[in-house]
Amino acid sequence: MRIKYTISIVFFVALVIIEKENNIISRVSDKLTLKQTPQTPLQPSSFSHILQKHNASITPPKNNSAFTLMKRRLENYSEHQEVRTRGRKHILLLATTRTGSSFVGEFFNQQGDNMFYLFEPLWHVEKMLTLDTGGTNATASAKAYRDVLQQLLLCDFSLMESFIDPLPVDHITTALFRRESSSSLCEESVCSPFVKGVFERYHCRTRRCGPLNLTMASLSCLQKEHRAIKSVRVRQLETLRPLAEDPRLDVKFIQLVRDPRAVLASRMVAFAAKYKNWKEWAAGGDIPIDDDEVRKLKGNCDNIKMSAEIGLRRPQWLRGRYMLVRYEDIARFPMRKAAEMYRFAGIPFTPQVKSWILKNTQASKDTSGVYSTQKNSSEQVEKWRFSIPFKIAQVVQKVCGPTLKLFGYKFVSSEEMLTDKSVSLIENKVFNVL
Ligand SMILES: *[C@@H]1O[C@H](CO)[C@@H](O)[C@H](O)[C@H]1NC(C)=O
Ligand SMILES: *[C@@H]1O[C@H](CO)[C@@H](O)[C@H](O)[C@H]1NC(C)=O
Ligand SMILES: *[C@@H]1O[C@H](CO)[C@@H](O)[C@H](O)[C@H]1NC(C)=O
Ligand SMILES: *[C@@H]1O[C@H](CO)[C@@H](O)[C@H](O)[C@H]1NC(C)=O
Ligand SMILES: *[C@@H]1O[C@H](CO)[C@@H](O)[C@H](O)[C@H]1NC(C)=O
Ligand SMILES: *[C@@H]1O[C@H](CO)[C@@H](O)[C@H](O)[C@H]1NC(C)=O
């Protein structure tokens, strides 16, 4: 009997020691990764055009084999123990432009002290990889997007840095795209002293900070429990498969979609000049609409559909890692959908997020009382039906038909139906078995 007890106690003590050691090792390993960020292989060959654009050289990674070996051992160790990912979630909010992704991104940006949130870090990558033709090489950019996202989710900014123009000096930049949209990049610990006379296009609004020190950002990121990134640039979910399979990460993909007719209506307002011909054509003009724009529309719809089909098929690598959300559902039931997203991500839904949602979705009060959130948002979400010409809605239905069908957006067969408020174009649909 006594021997049994002794064995149990020894066993228990051993477990505690192992546990402690793991934590220390994982912390040391994080620190090492951070200190050595410039040594992360940059694959100079595949990104050589970046170097050309910068007209500067990124010093090729030094080969410190002892360090590399130790780092790898540590990584191996922690990976196998799954210490680094225990409870830590990595959220990727994937959308396309004009789908309300900035708004939905706020659900995570507002989470509070536990979340490191980045807003469109791939903006820099896309910009750098944009060819003279105005487009990008889809294969090359998909690879760059994937590698940058993977590093960022591990709080490593080094590859991302190489895409920032002008190239940061000593990891300091004045040019990080919409820095102020990530509250994590404007908090005290990432706020270096304000420097007089330095122009910053994107600067913190909550406090006066100097240029962004990416080393500080990285250190802050490592302290946070969870990490979230919003991006409208990933075209195919499948290109991110290595992230789902990276044992250092516990990635949760949230794909945000919206009725392509509403997206186009929104684009027609935002980029009015570009769609001048469309409007004229819809109003009875005889100049046919630009084939190139139609092809782009179709390409977008097909990419979104393909990504969603993979997600909804639930292949092994995506099990429990994929959620599809329609913007229309978020607009109509923001609190419920936000709670679902948090539940899916495995992160507690904080009061900060709740109050932010209340504040930002609530109808304005008027003398007759208070509008309900739902009623107001419902109105907003269907507004596009009164701005898009029926002929253009038909074009979208033609080229994006299968996409509309998959997400449960009803086709309209006449102008009257398009503008008939009593007919909802949003079918009730449940996509995720959570
Ligand atoms: C690129 O660098 C070279 C040599 O350092 C310099 O002469 C040239 O003006 C630079 N070009 C640009 C576009 O900055
Ligand atoms: C870097 O180190 C690795 C492992 O120690 C070695 O195989 C490789 O040849 C080294 N590369 C260079 C460029 O020194
Ligand atoms: C890491 O783990 C793999 C697989 O278990 C093993 O083959 C490799 O030798 C390990 N690497 C180091 C540096 O310990
Ligand atoms: C796109 O990039 C890939 C990989 O970098 C390259 O193999 C391919 O030739 C490029 N395609 C075009 C059309 O330039
Ligand atoms: C950036 O932050 C790091 C970490 O706090 C610090 O060591 C470094 O000196 C800072 N860089 C500059 C140029 O202030
Ligand atoms: C609906 O909400 C928006 C944004 O909160 C607000 O600007 C608008 O006035 C509200 N509309 C109505 C009818 O309450």
Side-chain angles (χ1 to χ4, degrees), residues 34 37 116 118 152 155-158 160-162 164 167-174 176 179 185 190 192 211-221:
L34 179 70
T37 40
F116 191 83
L118 289 175
L152 289 177
C155 301
D156 179 348
F157 284 76
S158 52
M160 152 103 165
E161 255 188 59
S162 66
I164 299 174
L167 195 65
V169 177
D170 291 336
H171 313 295
I172 308 283
T173 180
T174 56
L176 192 90
R179 170 185 182 181
L185 297 181
V190 184
S192 44
L212 178 61
N213 180 337
L214 290 163
T215 309
M216 283 161 87
S218 180
L219 280 168
S220 169
C221 174

PDB file of all heavy atoms in Angstrom, residues 34 37 116 118 152 155-158 160-162 164 167-174 176 179 185 190 192 211-221:
ATOM      1  N   LEU A  34      12.479  35.332 -31.198  1.00  0.00           N
ATOM      2  CA  LEU A  34      12.317  36.762 -31.358  1.00  0.00           C
ATOM      3  C   LEU A  34      13.655  37.430 -31.609  1.00  0.00           C
ATOM      4  O   LEU A  34      13.827  38.179 -32.552  1.00  0.00           O
ATOM      5  CB  LEU A  34      11.689  37.317 -30.084  1.00  0.00           C
ATOM      6  CG  LEU A  34      11.491  38.812 -30.116  1.00  0.00           C
ATOM      7  CD1 LEU A  34      10.399  39.119 -31.115  1.00  0.00           C
ATOM      8  CD2 LEU A  34      11.115  39.319 -28.760  1.00  0.00           C
ATOM      9  N   THR A  37      15.071  37.007 -35.039  1.00  0.00           N
ATOM     10  CA  THR A  37      14.194  37.156 -36.204  1.00  0.00           C
ATOM     11  C   THR A  37      14.910  37.409 -37.519  1.00  0.00           C
ATOM     12  O   THR A  37      14.511  36.860 -38.526  1.00  0.00           O
ATOM     13  CB  THR A  37      13.103  38.229 -35.996  1.00  0.00           C
ATOM     14  OG1 THR A  37      13.680  39.306 -35.315  1.00  0.00           O
ATOM     15  CG2 THR A  37      11.910  37.673 -35.298  1.00  0.00           C
ATOM     16  N   PHE A 116      -3.976  39.612 -29.758  1.00  0.00           N
ATOM     17  CA  PHE A 116      -3.116  40.419 -30.624  1.00  0.00           C
ATOM     18  C   PHE A 116      -3.769  40.408 -31.996  1.00  0.00           C
ATOM     19  O   PHE A 116      -3.849  39.370 -32.649  1.00  0.00           O
ATOM     20  CB  PHE A 116      -1.701  39.841 -30.684  1.00  0.00           C
ATOM     21  CG  PHE A 116      -0.724  40.766 -31.344  1.00  0.00           C
ATOM     22  CD1 PHE A 116      -0.126  41.786 -30.625  1.00  0.00           C
ATOM     23  CD2 PHE A 116      -0.414  40.626 -32.685  1.00  0.00           C
ATOM     24  CE1 PHE A 116       0.772  42.668 -31.233  1.00  0.00           C
ATOM     25  CE2 PHE A 116       0.475  41.503 -33.304  1.00  0.00           C
ATOM     26  CZ  PHE A 116       1.067  42.524 -32.574  1.00  0.00           C
ATOM     27  N   LEU A 118      -4.195  41.924 -35.920  1.00  0.00           N
ATOM     28  CA  LEU A 118      -3.583  42.661 -37.031  1.00  0.00           C
ATOM     29  C   LEU A 118      -4.598  42.872 -38.141  1.00  0.00           C
ATOM     30  O   LEU A 118      -5.331  41.952 -38.516  1.00  0.00           O
ATOM     31  CB  LEU A 118      -2.373  41.913 -37.585  1.00  0.00           C
ATOM     32  CG  LEU A 118      -1.126  41.871 -36.688  1.00  0.00           C
ATOM     33  CD1 LEU A 118      -0.063  40.989 -37.316  1.00  0.00           C
ATOM     34  CD2 LEU A 118      -0.584  43.273 -36.417  1.00  0.00           C
ATOM     35  N   LEU A 152       3.523  35.668 -38.893  1.00  0.00           N
ATOM     36  CA  LEU A 152       2.847  36.645 -38.044  1.00  0.00           C
ATOM     37  C   LEU A 152       2.072  35.965 -36.929  1.00  0.00           C
ATOM     38  O   LEU A 152       2.022  36.456 -35.805  1.00  0.00           O
ATOM     39  CB  LEU A 152       1.913  37.536 -38.870  1.00  0.00           C
ATOM     40  CG  LEU A 152       2.594  38.550 -39.788  1.00  0.00           C
ATOM     41  CD1 LEU A 152       1.559  39.307 -40.604  1.00  0.00           C
ATOM     42  CD2 LEU A 152       3.457  39.527 -38.988  1.00  0.00           C
ATOM     43  N   CYS A 155       4.126  35.572 -34.230  1.00  0.00           N
ATOM     44  CA  CYS A 155       4.659  36.844 -33.734  1.00  0.00           C
ATOM     45  C   CYS A 155       6.009  37.210 -34.348  1.00  0.00           C
ATOM     46  O   CYS A 155       6.775  37.980 -33.770  1.00  0.00           O
ATOM     47  CB  CYS A 155       4.783  36.852 -32.207  1.00  0.00           C
ATOM     48  SG  CYS A 155       3.239  36.567 -31.378  1.00  0.00           S
ATOM     49  N   ASP A 156       6.298  36.673 -35.486  1.00  0.00           N
ATOM     50  CA  ASP A 156       7.552  36.965 -36.167  1.00  0.00           C
ATOM     51  C   ASP A 156       7.250  37.898 -37.345  1.00  0.00           C
ATOM     52  O   ASP A 156       6.544  37.526 -38.275  1.00  0.00           O
ATOM     53  CB  ASP A 156       8.151  35.629 -36.649  1.00  0.00           C
ATOM     54  CG  ASP A 156       9.460  35.803 -37.399  1.00  0.00           C
ATOM     55  OD1 ASP A 156       9.797  36.951 -37.750  1.00  0.00           O
ATOM     56  OD2 ASP A 156      10.129  34.787 -37.628  1.00  0.00           O
ATOM     57  N   PHE A 157       7.794  39.107 -37.266  1.00  0.00           N
ATOM     58  CA  PHE A 157       7.482  40.116 -38.285  1.00  0.00           C
ATOM     59  C   PHE A 157       8.524  40.186 -39.393  1.00  0.00           C
ATOM     60  O   PHE A 157       8.426  41.033 -40.269  1.00  0.00           O
ATOM     61  CB  PHE A 157       7.369  41.504 -37.637  1.00  0.00           C
ATOM     62  CG  PHE A 157       6.084  41.717 -36.889  1.00  0.00           C
ATOM     63  CD1 PHE A 157       5.875  41.136 -35.645  1.00  0.00           C
ATOM     64  CD2 PHE A 157       5.079  42.500 -37.424  1.00  0.00           C
ATOM     65  CE1 PHE A 157       4.689  41.335 -34.955  1.00  0.00           C
ATOM     66  CE2 PHE A 157       3.888  42.701 -36.741  1.00  0.00           C
ATOM     67  CZ  PHE A 157       3.694  42.112 -35.504  1.00  0.00           C
ATOM     68  N   SER A 158       9.533  39.314 -39.360  1.00  0.00           N
ATOM     69  CA  SER A 158      10.676  39.549 -40.244  1.00  0.00           C
ATOM     70  C   SER A 158      10.344  39.484 -41.732  1.00  0.00           C
ATOM     71  O   SER A 158      10.776  40.331 -42.497  1.00  0.00           O
ATOM     72  CB  SER A 158      11.834  38.614 -39.899  1.00  0.00           C
ATOM     73  OG  SER A 158      11.392  37.287 -39.874  1.00  0.00           O
ATOM     74  N   MET A 160       7.384  39.848 -43.156  1.00  0.00           N
ATOM     75  CA  MET A 160       6.493  40.979 -43.400  1.00  0.00           C
ATOM     76  C   MET A 160       7.297  42.271 -43.563  1.00  0.00           C
ATOM     77  O   MET A 160       7.020  43.084 -44.450  1.00  0.00           O
ATOM     78  CB  MET A 160       5.550  41.066 -42.210  1.00  0.00           C
ATOM     79  CG  MET A 160       5.048  42.426 -41.949  1.00  0.00           C
ATOM     80  SD  MET A 160       3.388  42.596 -42.530  1.00  0.00           S
ATOM     81  CE  MET A 160       2.975  44.088 -41.670  1.00  0.00           C
ATOM     82  N   GLU A 161       8.292  42.440 -42.696  1.00  0.00           N
ATOM     83  CA  GLU A 161       9.129  43.640 -42.757  1.00  0.00           C
ATOM     84  C   GLU A 161       9.731  43.839 -44.132  1.00  0.00           C
ATOM     85  O   GLU A 161       9.816  44.955 -44.625  1.00  0.00           O
ATOM     86  CB  GLU A 161      10.279  43.511 -41.749  1.00  0.00           C
ATOM     87  CG  GLU A 161      10.112  44.349 -40.516  1.00  0.00           C
ATOM     88  CD  GLU A 161      11.363  44.326 -39.656  1.00  0.00           C
ATOM     89  OE1 GLU A 161      12.437  44.711 -40.145  1.00  0.00           O
ATOM     90  OE2 GLU A 161      11.251  43.903 -38.494  1.00  0.00           O
ATOM     91  N   SER A 162      10.133  42.739 -44.740  1.00  0.00           N
ATOM     92  CA  SER A 162      10.814  42.846 -46.025  1.00  0.00           C
ATOM     93  C   SER A 162       9.872  43.345 -47.122  1.00  0.00           C
ATOM     94  O   SER A 162      10.310  43.718 -48.195  1.00  0.00           O
ATOM     95  CB  SER A 162      11.424  41.501 -46.414  1.00  0.00           C
ATOM     96  OG  SER A 162      10.407  40.560 -46.656  1.00  0.00           O
ATOM     97  N   ILE A 164       7.622  45.851 -46.440  1.00  0.00           N
ATOM     98  CA  ILE A 164       7.213  47.227 -46.134  1.00  0.00           C
ATOM     99  C   ILE A 164       8.111  48.200 -46.903  1.00  0.00           C
ATOM    100  O   ILE A 164       9.315  48.029 -46.955  1.00  0.00           O
ATOM    101  CB  ILE A 164       7.294  47.502 -44.615  1.00  0.00           C
ATOM    102  CG1 ILE A 164       6.362  46.559 -43.854  1.00  0.00           C
ATOM    103  CG2 ILE A 164       6.939  48.957 -44.314  1.00  0.00           C
ATOM    104  CD1 ILE A 164       6.468  46.656 -42.344  1.00  0.00           C
ATOM    105  N   LEU A 167      11.739  50.204 -46.595  1.00  0.00           N
ATOM    106  CA  LEU A 167      12.171  49.121 -45.726  1.00  0.00           C
ATOM    107  C   LEU A 167      12.470  49.656 -44.318  1.00  0.00           C
ATOM    108  O   LEU A 167      13.168  50.642 -44.178  1.00  0.00           O
ATOM    109  CB  LEU A 167      13.430  48.504 -46.328  1.00  0.00           C
ATOM    110  CG  LEU A 167      13.880  47.151 -45.795  1.00  0.00           C
ATOM    111  CD1 LEU A 167      12.860  46.072 -46.119  1.00  0.00           C
ATOM    112  CD2 LEU A 167      15.230  46.778 -46.394  1.00  0.00           C
ATOM    113  N   PRO A 168      11.893  49.012 -43.292  1.00  0.00           N
ATOM    114  CA  PRO A 168      12.162  49.490 -41.929  1.00  0.00           C
ATOM    115  C   PRO A 168      13.657  49.470 -41.603  1.00  0.00           C
ATOM    116  O   PRO A 168      14.393  48.629 -42.107  1.00  0.00           O
ATOM    117  CB  PRO A 168      11.418  48.473 -41.060  1.00  0.00           C
ATOM    118  CG  PRO A 168      10.369  47.903 -41.942  1.00  0.00           C
ATOM    119  CD  PRO A 168      10.962  47.884 -43.309  1.00  0.00           C
ATOM    120  N   VAL A 169      14.080  50.424 -40.805  1.00  0.00           N
ATOM    121  CA  VAL A 169      15.470  50.470 -40.358  1.00  0.00           C
ATOM    122  C   VAL A 169      15.482  50.101 -38.883  1.00  0.00           C
ATOM    123  O   VAL A 169      14.722  50.673 -38.094  1.00  0.00           O
ATOM    124  CB  VAL A 169      16.042  51.896 -40.558  1.00  0.00           C
ATOM    125  CG1 VAL A 169      17.475  51.968 -40.018  1.00  0.00           C
ATOM    126  CG2 VAL A 169      15.994  52.277 -42.028  1.00  0.00           C
ATOM    127  N   ASP A 170      16.297  49.149 -38.513  1.00  0.00           N
ATOM    128  CA  ASP A 170      16.321  48.637 -37.134  1.00  0.00           C
ATOM    129  C   ASP A 170      14.920  48.231 -36.667  1.00  0.00           C
ATOM    130  O   ASP A 170      14.546  48.485 -35.522  1.00  0.00           O
ATOM    131  CB  ASP A 170      16.884  49.679 -36.158  1.00  0.00           C
ATOM    132  CG  ASP A 170      18.361  49.922 -36.377  1.00  0.00           C
ATOM    133  OD1 ASP A 170      19.033  49.019 -36.914  1.00  0.00           O
ATOM    134  OD2 ASP A 170      18.834  51.022 -36.029  1.00  0.00           O
ATOM    135  N   HIS A 171      14.135  47.686 -37.557  1.00  0.00           N
ATOM    136  CA  HIS A 171      12.768  47.233 -37.257  1.00  0.00           C
ATOM    137  C   HIS A 171      11.832  48.377 -36.878  1.00  0.00           C
ATOM    138  O   HIS A 171      10.812  48.161 -36.232  1.00  0.00           O
ATOM    139  CB  HIS A 171      12.770  46.166 -36.152  1.00  0.00           C
ATOM    140  CG  HIS A 171      13.787  45.102 -36.376  1.00  0.00           C
ATOM    141  ND1 HIS A 171      13.718  44.233 -37.436  1.00  0.00           N
ATOM    142  CD2 HIS A 171      14.925  44.792 -35.700  1.00  0.00           C
ATOM    143  CE1 HIS A 171      14.764  43.427 -37.401  1.00  0.00           C
ATOM    144  NE2 HIS A 171      15.511  43.742 -36.363  1.00  0.00           N
ATOM    145  N   ILE A 172      12.185  49.575 -37.268  1.00  0.00           N
ATOM    146  CA  ILE A 172      11.328  50.733 -36.992  1.00  0.00           C
ATOM    147  C   ILE A 172      10.694  51.173 -38.307  1.00  0.00           C
ATOM    148  O   ILE A 172      11.384  51.319 -39.310  1.00  0.00           O
ATOM    149  CB  ILE A 172      12.139  51.925 -36.439  1.00  0.00           C
ATOM    150  CG1 ILE A 172      13.009  51.516 -35.255  1.00  0.00           C
ATOM    151  CG2 ILE A 172      11.228  53.088 -36.106  1.00  0.00           C
ATOM    152  CD1 ILE A 172      12.282  51.350 -33.968  1.00  0.00           C
ATOM    153  N   THR A 173       9.380  51.406 -38.296  1.00  0.00           N
ATOM    154  CA  THR A 173       8.718  51.858 -39.521  1.00  0.00           C
ATOM    155  C   THR A 173       7.703  52.966 -39.241  1.00  0.00           C
ATOM    156  O   THR A 173       7.056  52.974 -38.192  1.00  0.00           O
ATOM    157  CB  THR A 173       8.028  50.688 -40.263  1.00  0.00           C
ATOM    158  OG1 THR A 173       7.403  51.195 -41.446  1.00  0.00           O
ATOM    159  CG2 THR A 173       6.977  50.002 -39.406  1.00  0.00           C
ATOM    160  N   THR A 174       7.592  53.874 -40.202  1.00  0.00           N
ATOM    161  CA  THR A 174       6.574  54.924 -40.101  1.00  0.00           C
ATOM    162  C   THR A 174       5.434  54.614 -41.067  1.00  0.00           C
ATOM    163  O   THR A 174       4.531  55.403 -41.227  1.00  0.00           O
ATOM    164  CB  THR A 174       7.152  56.297 -40.505  1.00  0.00           C
ATOM    165  OG1 THR A 174       7.693  56.179 -41.827  1.00  0.00           O
ATOM    166  CG2 THR A 174       8.234  56.751 -39.553  1.00  0.00           C
ATOM    167  N   LEU A 176       3.534  51.480 -41.555  1.00  0.00           N
ATOM    168  CA  LEU A 176       2.688  50.294 -41.467  1.00  0.00           C
ATOM    169  C   LEU A 176       1.237  50.648 -41.772  1.00  0.00           C
ATOM    170  O   LEU A 176       0.630  51.481 -41.094  1.00  0.00           O
ATOM    171  CB  LEU A 176       2.781  49.612 -40.106  1.00  0.00           C
ATOM    172  CG  LEU A 176       2.129  48.230 -40.178  1.00  0.00           C
ATOM    173  CD1 LEU A 176       3.144  47.180 -40.579  1.00  0.00           C
ATOM    174  CD2 LEU A 176       1.443  47.870 -38.888  1.00  0.00           C
ATOM    175  N   ARG A 179      -1.979  51.215 -39.141  1.00  0.00           N
ATOM    176  CA  ARG A 179      -1.557  50.790 -37.805  1.00  0.00           C
ATOM    177  C   ARG A 179      -2.656  51.010 -36.770  1.00  0.00           C
ATOM    178  O   ARG A 179      -2.886  50.167 -35.901  1.00  0.00           O
ATOM    179  CB  ARG A 179      -0.304  51.592 -37.414  1.00  0.00           C
ATOM    180  CG  ARG A 179       0.088  51.429 -35.961  1.00  0.00           C
ATOM    181  CD  ARG A 179       1.250  52.328 -35.599  1.00  0.00           C
ATOM    182  NE  ARG A 179       1.648  52.124 -34.209  1.00  0.00           N
ATOM    183  CZ  ARG A 179       2.620  52.789 -33.613  1.00  0.00           C
ATOM    184  NH1 ARG A 179       3.311  53.707 -34.284  1.00  0.00           N
ATOM    185  NH2 ARG A 179       2.909  52.556 -32.345  1.00  0.00           N
ATOM    186  N   LEU A 185      -1.365  47.461 -31.794  1.00  0.00           N
ATOM    187  CA  LEU A 185      -0.174  48.195 -32.228  1.00  0.00           C
ATOM    188  C   LEU A 185      -0.146  49.615 -31.676  1.00  0.00           C
ATOM    189  O   LEU A 185       0.759  50.386 -31.993  1.00  0.00           O
ATOM    190  CB  LEU A 185      -0.105  48.237 -33.763  1.00  0.00           C
ATOM    191  CG  LEU A 185       0.037  46.889 -34.458  1.00  0.00           C
ATOM    192  CD1 LEU A 185       0.129  47.067 -35.967  1.00  0.00           C
ATOM    193  CD2 LEU A 185       1.278  46.138 -33.953  1.00  0.00           C
ATOM    194  N   VAL A 190       3.551  49.018 -26.927  1.00  0.00           N
ATOM    195  CA  VAL A 190       4.042  49.060 -28.298  1.00  0.00           C
ATOM    196  C   VAL A 190       4.192  50.524 -28.743  1.00  0.00           C
ATOM    197  O   VAL A 190       4.443  50.827 -29.890  1.00  0.00           O
ATOM    198  CB  VAL A 190       3.087  48.284 -29.237  1.00  0.00           C
ATOM    199  CG1 VAL A 190       3.606  48.218 -30.669  1.00  0.00           C
ATOM    200  CG2 VAL A 190       2.890  46.851 -28.739  1.00  0.00           C
ATOM    201  N   SER A 192       6.245  53.652 -28.708  1.00  0.00           N
ATOM    202  CA  SER A 192       7.541  54.259 -28.384  1.00  0.00           C
ATOM    203  C   SER A 192       7.342  55.769 -28.298  1.00  0.00           C
ATOM    204  O   SER A 192       6.359  56.299 -28.809  1.00  0.00           O
ATOM    205  CB  SER A 192       8.588  53.883 -29.426  1.00  0.00           C
ATOM    206  OG  SER A 192       8.052  53.984 -30.710  1.00  0.00           O
ATOM    207  N   PRO A 211       7.217  56.330 -34.237  1.00  0.00           N
ATOM    208  CA  PRO A 211       7.180  55.279 -35.262  1.00  0.00           C
ATOM    209  C   PRO A 211       7.112  53.886 -34.640  1.00  0.00           C
ATOM    210  O   PRO A 211       7.580  53.681 -33.517  1.00  0.00           O
ATOM    211  CB  PRO A 211       8.501  55.487 -36.011  1.00  0.00           C
ATOM    212  CG  PRO A 211       8.844  56.912 -35.809  1.00  0.00           C
ATOM    213  CD  PRO A 211       8.329  57.269 -34.450  1.00  0.00           C
ATOM    214  N   LEU A 212       6.528  52.973 -35.373  1.00  0.00           N
ATOM    215  CA  LEU A 212       6.311  51.636 -34.827  1.00  0.00           C
ATOM    216  C   LEU A 212       7.617  50.849 -34.757  1.00  0.00           C
ATOM    217  O   LEU A 212       8.302  50.671 -35.764  1.00  0.00           O
ATOM    218  CB  LEU A 212       5.292  50.896 -35.704  1.00  0.00           C
ATOM    219  CG  LEU A 212       4.964  49.448 -35.311  1.00  0.00           C
ATOM    220  CD1 LEU A 212       4.360  49.382 -33.916  1.00  0.00           C
ATOM    221  CD2 LEU A 212       4.018  48.829 -36.333  1.00  0.00           C
ATOM    222  N   ASN A 213       7.909  50.350 -33.560  1.00  0.00           N
ATOM    223  CA  ASN A 213       9.064  49.479 -33.354  1.00  0.00           C
ATOM    224  C   ASN A 213       8.546  48.042 -33.431  1.00  0.00           C
ATOM    225  O   ASN A 213       7.850  47.568 -32.527  1.00  0.00           O
ATOM    226  CB  ASN A 213       9.671  49.799 -31.976  1.00  0.00           C
ATOM    227  CG  ASN A 213      10.875  48.937 -31.663  1.00  0.00           C
ATOM    228  OD1 ASN A 213      11.024  47.843 -32.217  1.00  0.00           O
ATOM    229  ND2 ASN A 213      11.719  49.407 -30.758  1.00  0.00           N
ATOM    230  N   LEU A 214       8.866  47.370 -34.507  1.00  0.00           N
ATOM    231  CA  LEU A 214       8.295  46.031 -34.725  1.00  0.00           C
ATOM    232  C   LEU A 214       8.824  45.002 -33.736  1.00  0.00           C
ATOM    233  O   LEU A 214       8.187  43.978 -33.502  1.00  0.00           O
ATOM    234  CB  LEU A 214       8.550  45.580 -36.171  1.00  0.00           C
ATOM    235  CG  LEU A 214       7.723  46.363 -37.203  1.00  0.00           C
ATOM    236  CD1 LEU A 214       8.284  46.196 -38.601  1.00  0.00           C
ATOM    237  CD2 LEU A 214       6.257  45.917 -37.180  1.00  0.00           C
ATOM    238  N   THR A 215       9.977  45.284 -33.145  1.00  0.00           N
ATOM    239  CA  THR A 215      10.473  44.397 -32.092  1.00  0.00           C
ATOM    240  C   THR A 215       9.541  44.482 -30.883  1.00  0.00           C
ATOM    241  O   THR A 215       9.199  43.468 -30.266  1.00  0.00           O
ATOM    242  CB  THR A 215      11.908  44.782 -31.683  1.00  0.00           C
ATOM    243  OG1 THR A 215      12.701  44.877 -32.865  1.00  0.00           O
ATOM    244  CG2 THR A 215      12.509  43.745 -30.762  1.00  0.00           C
ATOM    245  N   MET A 216       9.108  45.682 -30.580  1.00  0.00           N
ATOM    246  CA  MET A 216       8.158  45.852 -29.475  1.00  0.00           C
ATOM    247  C   MET A 216       6.832  45.170 -29.808  1.00  0.00           C
ATOM    248  O   MET A 216       6.213  44.543 -28.942  1.00  0.00           O
ATOM    249  CB  MET A 216       7.926  47.338 -29.196  1.00  0.00           C
ATOM    250  CG  MET A 216       9.069  47.995 -28.439  1.00  0.00           C
ATOM    251  SD  MET A 216       9.055  49.794 -28.591  1.00  0.00           S
ATOM    252  CE  MET A 216       7.978  50.250 -27.249  1.00  0.00           C
ATOM    253  N   ALA A 217       6.410  45.300 -31.062  1.00  0.00           N
ATOM    254  CA  ALA A 217       5.153  44.667 -31.472  1.00  0.00           C
ATOM    255  C   ALA A 217       5.256  43.160 -31.298  1.00  0.00           C
ATOM    256  O   ALA A 217       4.333  42.508 -30.790  1.00  0.00           O
ATOM    257  CB  ALA A 217       4.842  45.010 -32.923  1.00  0.00           C
ATOM    258  N   SER A 218       6.397  42.628 -31.703  1.00  0.00           N
ATOM    259  CA  SER A 218       6.592  41.192 -31.609  1.00  0.00           C
ATOM    260  C   SER A 218       6.598  40.719 -30.152  1.00  0.00           C
ATOM    261  O   SER A 218       5.979  39.708 -29.814  1.00  0.00           O
ATOM    262  CB  SER A 218       7.910  40.848 -32.311  1.00  0.00           C
ATOM    263  OG  SER A 218       8.136  39.483 -32.252  1.00  0.00           O
ATOM    264  N   LEU A 219       7.274  41.478 -29.301  1.00  0.00           N
ATOM    265  CA  LEU A 219       7.308  41.123 -27.876  1.00  0.00           C
ATOM    266  C   LEU A 219       5.906  41.153 -27.279  1.00  0.00           C
ATOM    267  O   LEU A 219       5.523  40.259 -26.517  1.00  0.00           O
ATOM    268  CB  LEU A 219       8.196  42.113 -27.110  1.00  0.00           C
ATOM    269  CG  LEU A 219       9.705  41.867 -27.190  1.00  0.00           C
ATOM    270  CD1 LEU A 219      10.463  43.067 -26.643  1.00  0.00           C
ATOM    271  CD2 LEU A 219      10.058  40.607 -26.406  1.00  0.00           C
ATOM    272  N   SER A 220       5.144  42.164 -27.653  1.00  0.00           N
ATOM    273  CA  SER A 220       3.787  42.277 -27.139  1.00  0.00           C
ATOM    274  C   SER A 220       2.936  41.104 -27.632  1.00  0.00           C
ATOM    275  O   SER A 220       2.164  40.508 -26.874  1.00  0.00           O
ATOM    276  CB  SER A 220       3.185  43.604 -27.571  1.00  0.00           C
ATOM    277  OG  SER A 220       1.814  43.620 -27.311  1.00  0.00           O
ATOM    278  N   CYS A 221       3.111  40.772 -28.894  1.00  0.00           N
ATOM    279  CA  CYS A 221       2.371  39.654 -29.484  1.00  0.00           C
ATOM    280  C   CYS A 221       2.632  38.360 -28.708  1.00  0.00           C
ATOM    281  O   CYS A 221       1.703  37.603 -28.423  1.00  0.00           O
ATOM    282  CB  CYS A 221       2.786  39.519 -30.950  1.00  0.00           C
ATOM    283  SG  CYS A 221       2.129  38.088 -31.814  1.00  0.00           S
TER     284      CYS A 221
END
